[in-house]
Amino acid sequence: MTHMKGRAADKYHVVNDFGAIGSGLPAAIGVATARGDGKVMLVEGDGSLMMHVQELETIRRQGIRMLISIINDGGYGAEFHKFRANGVDAAAAIHGRGDLAGVATGFGLRSAAVTEMGRFAPLFREHQAANIGTLWDIHTDDLIPSRAYRRVHYGEA
């Protein structure tokens, strides 16, 4: 967590390791409920969101004002990057990019699909002005593994 160095520890709650898939959304709901000030942002993967997507209704029903940033690579990135690095067909770990913004809207939240650069500042202002939870469906390239995955699976420094 070197990117957190110098930041107040009580401002960040990290659920990590692969075994945590699906745990981010319920944990963030708990943190947002405890804080009660609308200043909680969850950064989560699309596959992980789908493990507890029904909790978007809880956020709406309970009036939890939080920002959910879904990094949408169209699959289970932890798996397909590992498969690709080992020359294994990754098709079983790719589910495609469903309309997660539309799903959030269906549950009664604000939402936006983020498919181009430069959208965050205006979307964040809109979220701050609203009195409801927001989900951003952030599309990202599924062919670019993270720095950690490049190190672990490809031996890069």
Side-chain angles (χ1 to χ4, degrees):
M1 300 306 298
T2 57
H3 59 283
M4 299 290 197
K5 186 176 181 180
R7 298 179 186 193
D10 64 335
K11 302 292 183 197
Y12 298 88
H13 303 274
V14 178
V15 178
N16 61 357
D17 297 325
F18 179 77
I21 187 170
S23 298
L25 182 59
I29 290 170
V31 170
T33 300
R35 287 184 60 110
D37 62 5
K39 294 182 179 179
V40 172
M41 181 175 96
L42 169 67
V43 178
E44 183 72 288
D46 53 327
S48 190
L49 170 72
M50 289 192 270
M51 301 292 173
H52 292 288
V53 71
Q54 71 277 5
E55 297 305 336
L56 297 178
E57 189 277 335
T58 300
I59 293 168
R60 192 236 0 113
R61 181 171 28 90
Q62 296 298 323
I64 299 169
R65 193 173 147 242
M66 61 184 286
L67 175 58
I68 304 162
S69 299
I70 300 302
I71 309 303
N72 187 346
D73 59 10
Y76 300 101
E79 296 301 320
F80 66 63
H81 288 303
K82 181 176 14 179
F83 289 163
R84 289 174 182 158
N86 291 292
V88 177
D89 181 15
I94 298 172
H95 49 68
R97 292 183 216 279
D99 183 4
L100 299 179
V103 170
T105 300
F107 277 111
L109 300 180
R110 298 183 75 256
S111 68
V114 181
T115 58
E116 58 193 34
M117 301 294 282
R119 301 268 328 271
F120 291 125
L123 286 173
F124 189 65
R125 283 191 296 274
E126 290 173 14
H127 168 69
Q128 287 183 304
N131 196 23
I132 188 171
T134 303
L135 182 140
W136 294 344
D137 180 7
I138 304 166
H139 292 211
T140 188
D141 193 326
D142 69 319
L143 297 176
I144 302 172
S146 69
R147 182 177 185 184
Y149 270 60
R150 289 192 318 267
R151 185 181 69 249
V152 170
H153 297 298
Y154 294 95
E156 296 179 16

mmCIF file of all heavy atoms in Angstrom, residues 40-86:
data_model
loop_
_atom_site.group_PDB
_atom_site.id
_atom_site.type_symbol
_atom_site.label_atom_id
_atom_site.label_comp_id
_atom_site.label_asym_id
_atom_site.label_seq_id
_atom_site.Cartn_x
_atom_site.Cartn_y
_atom_site.Cartn_z
ATOM 1 N N VAL A 40 -17.573 8.572 1.216
ATOM 2 C CA VAL A 40 -17.004 7.247 1.030
ATOM 3 C C VAL A 40 -17.019 6.927 -0.448
ATOM 4 O O VAL A 40 -18.035 7.106 -1.125
ATOM 5 C CB VAL A 40 -17.791 6.172 1.813
ATOM 6 C CG1 VAL A 40 -17.327 4.769 1.457
ATOM 7 C CG2 VAL A 40 -17.657 6.419 3.308
ATOM 8 N N MET A 41 -15.865 6.476 -0.945
ATOM 9 C CA MET A 41 -15.778 6.042 -2.335
ATOM 10 C C MET A 41 -15.215 4.625 -2.354
ATOM 11 O O MET A 41 -14.173 4.359 -1.767
ATOM 12 C CB MET A 41 -14.866 6.939 -3.158
ATOM 13 C CG MET A 41 -14.791 6.482 -4.614
ATOM 14 S SD MET A 41 -13.848 7.590 -5.673
ATOM 15 C CE MET A 41 -12.271 6.783 -5.644
ATOM 16 N N LEU A 42 -15.911 3.742 -3.016
ATOM 17 C CA LEU A 42 -15.466 2.370 -3.218
ATOM 18 C C LEU A 42 -14.854 2.261 -4.608
ATOM 19 O O LEU A 42 -15.447 2.717 -5.585
ATOM 20 C CB LEU A 42 -16.650 1.406 -3.114
ATOM 21 C CG LEU A 42 -16.399 -0.037 -3.567
ATOM 22 C CD1 LEU A 42 -15.415 -0.727 -2.629
ATOM 23 C CD2 LEU A 42 -17.718 -0.792 -3.636
ATOM 24 N N VAL A 43 -13.664 1.658 -4.688
ATOM 25 C CA VAL A 43 -13.063 1.321 -5.978
ATOM 26 C C VAL A 43 -13.090 -0.194 -6.038
ATOM 27 O O VAL A 43 -12.474 -0.865 -5.209
ATOM 28 C CB VAL A 43 -11.619 1.863 -6.100
ATOM 29 C CG1 VAL A 43 -11.023 1.455 -7.439
ATOM 30 C CG2 VAL A 43 -11.596 3.372 -5.934
ATOM 31 N N GLU A 44 -13.805 -0.726 -7.012
ATOM 32 C CA GLU A 44 -14.096 -2.161 -7.065
ATOM 33 C C GLU A 44 -14.080 -2.641 -8.505
ATOM 34 O O GLU A 44 -14.278 -1.859 -9.420
ATOM 35 C CB GLU A 44 -15.488 -2.370 -6.445
ATOM 36 C CG GLU A 44 -15.950 -3.789 -6.352
ATOM 37 C CD GLU A 44 -15.213 -4.564 -5.298
ATOM 38 O OE1 GLU A 44 -14.014 -4.867 -5.508
ATOM 39 O OE2 GLU A 44 -15.805 -4.880 -4.262
ATOM 40 N N GLY A 45 -13.869 -3.914 -8.692
ATOM 41 C CA GLY A 45 -13.914 -4.502 -10.025
ATOM 42 C C GLY A 45 -15.326 -4.889 -10.407
ATOM 43 O O GLY A 45 -16.196 -5.086 -9.542
ATOM 44 N N ASP A 46 -15.556 -5.041 -11.708
ATOM 45 C CA ASP A 46 -16.886 -5.389 -12.193
ATOM 46 C C ASP A 46 -17.316 -6.781 -11.749
ATOM 47 O O ASP A 46 -18.449 -6.984 -11.330
ATOM 48 C CB ASP A 46 -16.975 -5.250 -13.716
ATOM 49 C CG ASP A 46 -15.889 -6.015 -14.462
ATOM 50 O OD1 ASP A 46 -14.760 -6.138 -13.948
ATOM 51 O OD2 ASP A 46 -16.155 -6.482 -15.574
ATOM 52 N N GLY A 47 -16.421 -7.749 -11.804
ATOM 53 C CA GLY A 47 -16.763 -9.098 -11.367
ATOM 54 C C GLY A 47 -17.089 -9.140 -9.889
ATOM 55 O O GLY A 47 -18.019 -9.820 -9.457
ATOM 56 N N SER A 48 -16.350 -8.404 -9.103
ATOM 57 C CA SER A 48 -16.589 -8.353 -7.667
ATOM 58 C C SER A 48 -17.935 -7.701 -7.358
ATOM 59 O O SER A 48 -18.670 -8.167 -6.480
ATOM 60 C CB SER A 48 -15.446 -7.597 -6.989
ATOM 61 O OG SER A 48 -15.526 -7.725 -5.597
ATOM 62 N N LEU A 49 -18.268 -6.636 -8.075
ATOM 63 C CA LEU A 49 -19.570 -5.987 -7.876
ATOM 64 C C LEU A 49 -20.704 -6.984 -8.073
ATOM 65 O O LEU A 49 -21.672 -7.006 -7.322
ATOM 66 C CB LEU A 49 -19.749 -4.809 -8.836
ATOM 67 C CG LEU A 49 -21.172 -4.217 -8.869
ATOM 68 C CD1 LEU A 49 -21.463 -3.438 -7.595
ATOM 69 C CD2 LEU A 49 -21.361 -3.355 -10.087
ATOM 70 N N MET A 50 -20.561 -7.837 -9.081
ATOM 71 C CA MET A 50 -21.657 -8.757 -9.404
ATOM 72 C C MET A 50 -21.910 -9.787 -8.318
ATOM 73 O O MET A 50 -22.975 -10.395 -8.278
ATOM 74 C CB MET A 50 -21.404 -9.407 -10.754
ATOM 75 C CG MET A 50 -21.573 -8.400 -11.881
ATOM 76 S SD MET A 50 -21.619 -9.144 -13.486
ATOM 77 C CE MET A 50 -19.891 -9.121 -13.891
ATOM 78 N N MET A 51 -20.963 -9.968 -7.410
ATOM 79 C CA MET A 51 -21.170 -10.908 -6.301
ATOM 80 C C MET A 51 -22.240 -10.411 -5.324
ATOM 81 O O MET A 51 -22.888 -11.211 -4.658
ATOM 82 C CB MET A 51 -19.859 -11.128 -5.530
ATOM 83 C CG MET A 51 -18.733 -11.666 -6.356
ATOM 84 S SD MET A 51 -19.089 -13.353 -6.844
ATOM 85 C CE MET A 51 -17.728 -13.640 -7.961
ATOM 86 N N HIS A 52 -22.404 -9.089 -5.225
ATOM 87 C CA HIS A 52 -23.380 -8.516 -4.289
ATOM 88 C C HIS A 52 -24.133 -7.348 -4.928
ATOM 89 O O HIS A 52 -24.493 -6.396 -4.238
ATOM 90 C CB HIS A 52 -22.681 -8.028 -3.015
ATOM 91 C CG HIS A 52 -22.126 -9.132 -2.188
ATOM 92 N ND1 HIS A 52 -22.926 -9.989 -1.463
ATOM 93 C CD2 HIS A 52 -20.847 -9.545 -1.986
ATOM 94 C CE1 HIS A 52 -22.169 -10.866 -0.835
ATOM 95 N NE2 HIS A 52 -20.902 -10.624 -1.142
ATOM 96 N N VAL A 53 -24.386 -7.411 -6.219
ATOM 97 C CA VAL A 53 -25.011 -6.290 -6.930
ATOM 98 C C VAL A 53 -26.360 -5.905 -6.323
ATOM 99 O O VAL A 53 -26.756 -4.739 -6.357
ATOM 100 C CB VAL A 53 -25.126 -6.584 -8.442
ATOM 101 C CG1 VAL A 53 -26.168 -7.657 -8.735
ATOM 102 C CG2 VAL A 53 -25.385 -5.315 -9.231
ATOM 103 N N GLN A 54 -27.051 -6.875 -5.717
ATOM 104 C CA GLN A 54 -28.361 -6.582 -5.120
ATOM 105 C C GLN A 54 -28.264 -5.561 -3.989
ATOM 106 O O GLN A 54 -29.253 -4.912 -3.659
ATOM 107 C CB GLN A 54 -29.025 -7.866 -4.618
ATOM 108 C CG GLN A 54 -28.395 -8.479 -3.385
ATOM 109 C CD GLN A 54 -27.186 -9.363 -3.672
ATOM 110 O OE1 GLN A 54 -26.720 -9.466 -4.799
ATOM 111 N NE2 GLN A 54 -26.686 -10.017 -2.630
ATOM 112 N N GLU A 55 -27.072 -5.366 -3.439
ATOM 113 C CA GLU A 55 -26.916 -4.396 -2.352
ATOM 114 C C GLU A 55 -27.020 -2.956 -2.837
ATOM 115 O O GLU A 55 -27.122 -2.031 -2.027
ATOM 116 C CB GLU A 55 -25.610 -4.625 -1.598
ATOM 117 C CG GLU A 55 -25.538 -5.972 -0.909
ATOM 118 C CD GLU A 55 -26.699 -6.259 0.037
ATOM 119 O OE1 GLU A 55 -27.336 -5.310 0.547
ATOM 120 O OE2 GLU A 55 -26.959 -7.448 0.288
ATOM 121 N N LEU A 56 -27.024 -2.743 -4.153
ATOM 122 C CA LEU A 56 -27.287 -1.396 -4.669
ATOM 123 C C LEU A 56 -28.678 -0.935 -4.224
ATOM 124 O O LEU A 56 -28.897 0.247 -3.942
ATOM 125 C CB LEU A 56 -27.154 -1.354 -6.191
ATOM 126 C CG LEU A 56 -25.766 -1.668 -6.753
ATOM 127 C CD1 LEU A 56 -25.798 -1.628 -8.271
ATOM 128 C CD2 LEU A 56 -24.713 -0.725 -6.200
ATOM 129 N N GLU A 57 -29.600 -1.885 -4.110
ATOM 130 C CA GLU A 57 -30.940 -1.548 -3.633
ATOM 131 C C GLU A 57 -30.891 -1.117 -2.170
ATOM 132 O O GLU A 57 -31.599 -0.202 -1.765
ATOM 133 C CB GLU A 57 -31.874 -2.754 -3.816
ATOM 134 C CG GLU A 57 -33.346 -2.444 -3.543
ATOM 135 C CD GLU A 57 -33.715 -2.487 -2.060
ATOM 136 O OE1 GLU A 57 -33.031 -3.179 -1.269
ATOM 137 O OE2 GLU A 57 -34.698 -1.811 -1.672
ATOM 138 N N THR A 58 -30.035 -1.749 -1.378
ATOM 139 C CA THR A 58 -29.881 -1.363 0.028
ATOM 140 C C THR A 58 -29.377 0.071 0.130
ATOM 141 O O THR A 58 -29.861 0.853 0.966
ATOM 142 C CB THR A 58 -28.887 -2.314 0.743
ATOM 143 O OG1 THR A 58 -29.386 -3.646 0.661
ATOM 144 C CG2 THR A 58 -28.666 -1.905 2.189
ATOM 145 N N ILE A 59 -28.430 0.418 -0.719
ATOM 146 C CA ILE A 59 -27.876 1.777 -0.721
ATOM 147 C C ILE A 59 -28.977 2.788 -1.008
ATOM 148 O O ILE A 59 -29.100 3.804 -0.318
ATOM 149 C CB ILE A 59 -26.730 1.890 -1.754
ATOM 150 C CG1 ILE A 59 -25.542 1.030 -1.309
ATOM 151 C CG2 ILE A 59 -26.314 3.341 -1.966
ATOM 152 C CD1 ILE A 59 -24.489 0.837 -2.378
ATOM 153 N N ARG A 60 -29.805 2.495 -1.999
ATOM 154 C CA ARG A 60 -30.905 3.405 -2.326
ATOM 155 C C ARG A 60 -31.931 3.455 -1.204
ATOM 156 O O ARG A 60 -32.305 4.523 -0.720
ATOM 157 C CB ARG A 60 -31.578 2.981 -3.632
ATOM 158 C CG ARG A 60 -32.517 4.038 -4.145
ATOM 159 C CD ARG A 60 -33.961 3.675 -4.414
ATOM 160 N NE ARG A 60 -34.386 2.339 -4.173
ATOM 161 C CZ ARG A 60 -35.253 2.001 -3.209
ATOM 162 N NH1 ARG A 60 -35.748 2.905 -2.387
ATOM 163 N NH2 ARG A 60 -35.638 0.763 -3.049
ATOM 164 N N ARG A 61 -32.367 2.302 -0.735
ATOM 165 C CA ARG A 61 -33.409 2.234 0.292
ATOM 166 C C ARG A 61 -32.981 2.901 1.586
ATOM 167 O O ARG A 61 -33.779 3.587 2.243
ATOM 168 C CB ARG A 61 -33.778 0.767 0.552
ATOM 169 C CG ARG A 61 -34.860 0.565 1.587
ATOM 170 C CD ARG A 61 -35.362 -0.901 1.656
ATOM 171 N NE ARG A 61 -34.388 -1.885 1.278
ATOM 172 C CZ ARG A 61 -33.522 -2.475 2.115
ATOM 173 N NH1 ARG A 61 -33.504 -2.146 3.389
ATOM 174 N NH2 ARG A 61 -32.682 -3.402 1.670
ATOM 175 N N GLN A 62 -31.727 2.745 1.975
ATOM 176 C CA GLN A 62 -31.224 3.329 3.214
ATOM 177 C C GLN A 62 -30.719 4.762 3.040
ATOM 178 O O GLN A 62 -30.298 5.394 3.992
ATOM 179 C CB GLN A 62 -30.103 2.453 3.785
ATOM 180 C CG GLN A 62 -30.557 1.078 4.200
ATOM 181 C CD GLN A 62 -31.585 1.122 5.315
ATOM 182 O OE1 GLN A 62 -31.521 1.953 6.219
ATOM 183 N NE2 GLN A 62 -32.562 0.233 5.239
ATOM 184 N N GLY A 63 -30.735 5.261 1.807
ATOM 185 C CA GLY A 63 -30.295 6.634 1.559
ATOM 186 C C GLY A 63 -28.810 6.838 1.801
ATOM 187 O O GLY A 63 -28.395 7.914 2.233
ATOM 188 N N ILE A 64 -28.028 5.812 1.507
ATOM 189 C CA ILE A 64 -26.584 5.892 1.727
ATOM 190 C C ILE A 64 -25.957 6.653 0.568
ATOM 191 O O ILE A 64 -26.052 6.246 -0.582
ATOM 192 C CB ILE A 64 -25.966 4.488 1.860
ATOM 193 C CG1 ILE A 64 -26.596 3.766 3.055
ATOM 194 C CG2 ILE A 64 -24.449 4.573 1.997
ATOM 195 C CD1 ILE A 64 -26.260 2.301 3.134
ATOM 196 N N ARG A 65 -25.347 7.766 0.893
ATOM 197 C CA ARG A 65 -24.724 8.621 -0.119
ATOM 198 C C ARG A 65 -23.243 8.257 -0.214
ATOM 199 O O ARG A 65 -22.451 8.658 0.622
ATOM 200 C CB ARG A 65 -24.896 10.089 0.263
ATOM 201 C CG ARG A 65 -24.568 11.009 -0.859
ATOM 202 C CD ARG A 65 -24.924 12.437 -0.472
ATOM 203 N NE ARG A 65 -23.954 13.286 -1.110
ATOM 204 C CZ ARG A 65 -23.111 14.071 -0.467
ATOM 205 N NH1 ARG A 65 -23.127 14.143 0.833
ATOM 206 N NH2 ARG A 65 -22.256 14.809 -1.129
ATOM 207 N N MET A 66 -22.902 7.444 -1.216
ATOM 208 C CA MET A 66 -21.524 7.037 -1.424
ATOM 209 C C MET A 66 -21.260 6.953 -2.917
ATOM 210 O O MET A 66 -22.190 6.911 -3.722
ATOM 211 C CB MET A 66 -21.236 5.682 -0.757
ATOM 212 C CG MET A 66 -22.077 4.539 -1.295
ATOM 213 S SD MET A 66 -21.824 2.963 -0.424
ATOM 214 C CE MET A 66 -20.235 2.492 -1.039
ATOM 215 N N LEU A 67 -20.010 6.957 -3.282
ATOM 216 C CA LEU A 67 -19.601 6.873 -4.681
ATOM 217 C C LEU A 67 -18.978 5.510 -4.914
ATOM 218 O O LEU A 67 -18.068 5.107 -4.182
ATOM 219 C CB LEU A 67 -18.599 7.987 -5.014
ATOM 220 C CG LEU A 67 -17.991 7.971 -6.409
ATOM 221 C CD1 LEU A 67 -19.060 8.052 -7.494
ATOM 222 C CD2 LEU A 67 -16.999 9.125 -6.546
ATOM 223 N N ILE A 68 -19.472 4.809 -5.917
ATOM 224 C CA ILE A 68 -18.977 3.478 -6.253
ATOM 225 C C ILE A 68 -18.312 3.575 -7.627
ATOM 226 O O ILE A 68 -18.979 3.868 -8.617
ATOM 227 C CB ILE A 68 -20.137 2.471 -6.293
ATOM 228 C CG1 ILE A 68 -20.886 2.479 -4.963
ATOM 229 C CG2 ILE A 68 -19.625 1.076 -6.652
ATOM 230 C CD1 ILE A 68 -22.266 1.864 -5.040
ATOM 231 N N SER A 69 -17.010 3.356 -7.659
ATOM 232 C CA SER A 69 -16.238 3.427 -8.911
ATOM 233 C C SER A 69 -15.888 2.009 -9.341
ATOM 234 O O SER A 69 -15.026 1.372 -8.732
ATOM 235 C CB SER A 69 -14.956 4.230 -8.709
ATOM 236 O OG SER A 69 -15.274 5.547 -8.321
ATOM 237 N N ILE A 70 -16.568 1.524 -10.361
ATOM 238 C CA ILE A 70 -16.361 0.153 -10.827
ATOM 239 C C ILE A 70 -15.376 0.165 -11.987
ATOM 240 O O ILE A 70 -15.617 0.794 -13.012
ATOM 241 C CB ILE A 70 -17.695 -0.489 -11.268
ATOM 242 C CG1 ILE A 70 -18.683 -0.515 -10.104
ATOM 243 C CG2 ILE A 70 -17.461 -1.884 -11.837
ATOM 244 C CD1 ILE A 70 -18.213 -1.260 -8.874
ATOM 245 N N ILE A 71 -14.259 -0.525 -11.800
ATOM 246 C CA ILE A 71 -13.260 -0.656 -12.854
ATOM 247 C C ILE A 71 -13.685 -1.853 -13.702
ATOM 248 O O ILE A 71 -13.535 -3.009 -13.303
ATOM 249 C CB ILE A 71 -11.844 -0.845 -12.267
ATOM 250 C CG1 ILE A 71 -11.539 0.239 -11.223
ATOM 251 C CG2 ILE A 71 -10.810 -0.877 -13.385
ATOM 252 C CD1 ILE A 71 -11.660 1.668 -11.728
ATOM 253 N N ASN A 72 -14.226 -1.569 -14.858
ATOM 254 C CA ASN A 72 -14.877 -2.577 -15.694
ATOM 255 C C ASN A 72 -13.951 -3.008 -16.827
ATOM 256 O O ASN A 72 -13.821 -2.323 -17.829
ATOM 257 C CB ASN A 72 -16.184 -2.001 -16.243
ATOM 258 C CG ASN A 72 -17.015 -3.020 -16.976
ATOM 259 O OD1 ASN A 72 -16.552 -4.099 -17.311
ATOM 260 N ND2 ASN A 72 -18.257 -2.657 -17.244
ATOM 261 N N ASP A 73 -13.338 -4.177 -16.655
ATOM 262 C CA ASP A 73 -12.505 -4.737 -17.715
ATOM 263 C C ASP A 73 -13.216 -5.881 -18.439
ATOM 264 O O ASP A 73 -12.638 -6.577 -19.247
ATOM 265 C CB ASP A 73 -11.143 -5.193 -17.178
ATOM 266 C CG ASP A 73 -11.235 -6.245 -16.096
ATOM 267 O OD1 ASP A 73 -12.334 -6.793 -15.861
ATOM 268 O OD2 ASP A 73 -10.200 -6.521 -15.459
ATOM 269 N N GLY A 74 -14.481 -6.087 -18.116
ATOM 270 C CA GLY A 74 -15.289 -7.082 -18.823
ATOM 271 C C GLY A 74 -15.043 -8.515 -18.399
ATOM 272 O O GLY A 74 -15.404 -9.444 -19.110
ATOM 273 N N GLY A 75 -14.428 -8.696 -17.243
ATOM 274 C CA GLY A 75 -14.186 -10.066 -16.790
ATOM 275 C C GLY A 75 -13.556 -10.085 -15.419
ATOM 276 O O GLY A 75 -13.500 -9.081 -14.723
ATOM 277 N N TYR A 76 -13.095 -11.251 -15.050
ATOM 278 C CA TYR A 76 -12.394 -11.429 -13.783
ATOM 279 C C TYR A 76 -10.914 -11.247 -14.053
ATOM 280 O O TYR A 76 -10.195 -12.203 -14.340
ATOM 281 C CB TYR A 76 -12.716 -12.797 -13.184
ATOM 282 C CG TYR A 76 -14.192 -12.966 -12.922
ATOM 283 C CD1 TYR A 76 -15.001 -13.690 -13.784
ATOM 284 C CD2 TYR A 76 -14.772 -12.354 -11.814
ATOM 285 C CE1 TYR A 76 -16.366 -13.817 -13.548
ATOM 286 C CE2 TYR A 76 -16.133 -12.468 -11.577
ATOM 287 C CZ TYR A 76 -16.924 -13.207 -12.446
ATOM 288 O OH TYR A 76 -18.266 -13.314 -12.219
ATOM 289 N N GLY A 77 -10.461 -9.988 -13.982
ATOM 290 C CA GLY A 77 -9.096 -9.629 -14.362
ATOM 291 C C GLY A 77 -8.035 -10.416 -13.629
ATOM 292 O O GLY A 77 -7.012 -10.790 -14.205
ATOM 293 N N ALA A 78 -8.251 -10.689 -12.344
ATOM 294 C CA ALA A 78 -7.269 -11.464 -11.593
ATOM 295 C C ALA A 78 -7.050 -12.815 -12.251
ATOM 296 O O ALA A 78 -5.952 -13.367 -12.198
ATOM 297 C CB ALA A 78 -7.731 -11.652 -10.152
ATOM 298 N N GLU A 79 -8.081 -13.337 -12.864
ATOM 299 C CA GLU A 79 -7.984 -14.636 -13.526
ATOM 300 C C GLU A 79 -7.474 -14.524 -14.952
ATOM 301 O O GLU A 79 -6.541 -15.217 -15.337
ATOM 302 C CB GLU A 79 -9.343 -15.335 -13.510
ATOM 303 C CG GLU A 79 -9.830 -15.661 -12.128
ATOM 304 C CD GLU A 79 -8.870 -16.566 -11.371
ATOM 305 O OE1 GLU A 79 -8.308 -17.506 -11.966
ATOM 306 O OE2 GLU A 79 -8.672 -16.320 -10.175
ATOM 307 N N PHE A 80 -8.086 -13.657 -15.776
ATOM 308 C CA PHE A 80 -7.692 -13.691 -17.181
ATOM 309 C C PHE A 80 -6.284 -13.194 -17.416
ATOM 310 O O PHE A 80 -5.614 -13.664 -18.335
ATOM 311 C CB PHE A 80 -8.728 -13.068 -18.124
ATOM 312 C CG PHE A 80 -9.002 -11.599 -18.020
ATOM 313 C CD1 PHE A 80 -8.040 -10.644 -18.271
ATOM 314 C CD2 PHE A 80 -10.289 -11.168 -17.741
ATOM 315 C CE1 PHE A 80 -8.323 -9.297 -18.225
ATOM 316 C CE2 PHE A 80 -10.588 -9.820 -17.686
ATOM 317 C CZ PHE A 80 -9.594 -8.886 -17.921
ATOM 318 N N HIS A 81 -5.780 -12.292 -16.559
ATOM 319 C CA HIS A 81 -4.379 -11.885 -16.724
ATOM 320 C C HIS A 81 -3.436 -13.043 -16.378
ATOM 321 O O HIS A 81 -2.424 -13.256 -17.031
ATOM 322 C CB HIS A 81 -4.054 -10.654 -15.877
ATOM 323 C CG HIS A 81 -4.672 -9.395 -16.404
ATOM 324 N ND1 HIS A 81 -4.435 -8.936 -17.684
ATOM 325 C CD2 HIS A 81 -5.515 -8.508 -15.824
ATOM 326 C CE1 HIS A 81 -5.108 -7.809 -17.871
ATOM 327 N NE2 HIS A 81 -5.776 -7.535 -16.769
ATOM 328 N N LYS A 82 -3.788 -13.796 -15.345
ATOM 329 C CA LYS A 82 -2.989 -14.962 -14.964
ATOM 330 C C LYS A 82 -3.035 -16.011 -16.080
ATOM 331 O O LYS A 82 -2.013 -16.590 -16.439
ATOM 332 C CB LYS A 82 -3.524 -15.543 -13.665
ATOM 333 C CG LYS A 82 -2.768 -16.736 -13.152
ATOM 334 C CD LYS A 82 -3.256 -17.259 -11.800
ATOM 335 C CE LYS A 82 -4.570 -16.752 -11.335
ATOM 336 N NZ LYS A 82 -5.041 -17.275 -10.071
ATOM 337 N N PHE A 83 -4.220 -16.258 -16.629
ATOM 338 C CA PHE A 83 -4.346 -17.233 -17.715
ATOM 339 C C PHE A 83 -3.493 -16.818 -18.910
ATOM 340 O O PHE A 83 -2.746 -17.623 -19.463
ATOM 341 C CB PHE A 83 -5.806 -17.371 -18.160
ATOM 342 C CG PHE A 83 -6.708 -18.057 -17.176
ATOM 343 C CD1 PHE A 83 -8.075 -17.934 -17.305
ATOM 344 C CD2 PHE A 83 -6.211 -18.805 -16.120
ATOM 345 C CE1 PHE A 83 -8.934 -18.562 -16.406
ATOM 346 C CE2 PHE A 83 -7.066 -19.435 -15.219
ATOM 347 C CZ PHE A 83 -8.434 -19.309 -15.368
ATOM 348 N N ARG A 84 -3.639 -15.568 -19.318
ATOM 349 C CA ARG A 84 -2.887 -15.086 -20.483
ATOM 350 C C ARG A 84 -1.382 -15.202 -20.270
ATOM 351 O O ARG A 84 -0.655 -15.577 -21.186
ATOM 352 C CB ARG A 84 -3.274 -13.649 -20.809
ATOM 353 C CG ARG A 84 -4.665 -13.515 -21.380
ATOM 354 C CD ARG A 84 -5.054 -12.059 -21.547
ATOM 355 N NE ARG A 84 -6.404 -11.927 -22.063
ATOM 356 C CZ ARG A 84 -7.147 -10.845 -21.915
ATOM 357 N NH1 ARG A 84 -6.666 -9.784 -21.274
ATOM 358 N NH2 ARG A 84 -8.364 -10.800 -22.409
ATOM 359 N N ALA A 85 -0.917 -14.864 -19.065
ATOM 360 C CA ALA A 85 0.514 -14.929 -18.775
ATOM 361 C C ALA A 85 1.049 -16.350 -18.892
ATOM 362 O O ALA A 85 2.225 -16.553 -19.194
ATOM 363 C CB ALA A 85 0.783 -14.391 -17.368
ATOM 364 N N ASN A 86 0.178 -17.328 -18.670
ATOM 365 C CA ASN A 86 0.593 -18.730 -18.728
ATOM 366 C C ASN A 86 0.155 -19.430 -20.003
ATOM 367 O O ASN A 86 0.202 -20.656 -20.086
ATOM 368 C CB ASN A 86 0.062 -19.472 -17.495
ATOM 369 C CG ASN A 86 0.758 -19.015 -16.237
ATOM 370 O OD1 ASN A 86 1.944 -19.269 -16.054
ATOM 371 N ND2 ASN A 86 0.040 -18.308 -15.382
#
